Each structure stands twice: as structure tokens, then as C-alpha cells.
Amino acid sequence: MSLLDRQLADAMHRIQHSKSADLVEQAAQDEKAYLAQLDRLMTRMRAIEGQLLQMDKQATRH
């Protein structure tokens, strides 16, 4: 997750500070890809947290 955060920050920096339209476009594509990866990772983390909570609830009932 921290690697994706750094890559996203780099892409955003390149969007703001690149002088070439081609570089800005590539950085925008990179940003979009990193955001999609980050979204998938965070969704997976939430799903795992939900599963752990369910397991904890079941364990405390017995």
C-alpha cells in the first residue's frame, strides 16, 4: 500500500510539473492505474477485516 501511495504521489507530481503534454498524459494514465490498484487493495483489506470480525464473533459465542 505504501508503494502505491508513493507511485500515486509521483504520478500526481508529474501531472502538475511536466512540461510535455505527452508526459502529462502518461502520468494521468499512471495515476488512473494506481488508483484502480489501490481501490482493489483497499477493498480486499476491508473484506478480510470483515471476515476476521465474523470469525471473532463466532468464536466469542462458544
Side-chain angles (χ1 to χ4, degrees), residues 14 21-22 25 32-33 41 43 50 53-54 57:
R14 288 184 287 134
D22 290 338
E25 178 61 31
K32 185 177 178 181
L41 177 61
T43 299
L53 284 173
Q54 290 298 323
K57 284 181 183 179

Side-chain angles (χ1 to χ4, degrees), residues 14-26:
R14 288 184 287 134
I15 289 171
Q16 292 177 349
H17 300 286
S18 292
K19 299 191 188 287
S20 163
D22 290 338
L23 292 175
V24 171
E25 178 61 31
Q26 181 61 50

Side-chain angles (χ1 to χ4, degrees), residues 5 7 14 23 31 33 39 60:
D5 283 336
Q7 290 172 324
R14 288 184 287 134
L23 292 175
E31 178 189 35
D39 180 59
T60 56

Side-chain angles (χ1 to χ4, degrees), residues 1-52:
M1 188 165 163
S2 63
L3 174 61
L4 282 172
D5 283 336
R6 286 192 307 268
Q7 290 172 324
L8 183 57
D10 177 63
M12 292 170 68
H13 183 266
R14 288 184 287 134
I15 289 171
Q16 292 177 349
H17 300 286
S18 292
K19 299 191 188 287
S20 163
D22 290 338
L23 292 175
V24 171
E25 178 61 31
Q26 181 61 50
Q29 290 176 9
D30 291 346
E31 178 189 35
K32 185 177 178 181
Y34 296 144
L35 284 171
Q37 290 177 28
L38 190 58
D39 180 59
R40 281 192 301 273
L41 177 61
M42 292 179 74
T43 299
R44 178 104 172 119
M45 289 171 61
R46 284 190 300 273
I48 291 169
E49 288 172 351
Q51 289 175 347
L52 291 172

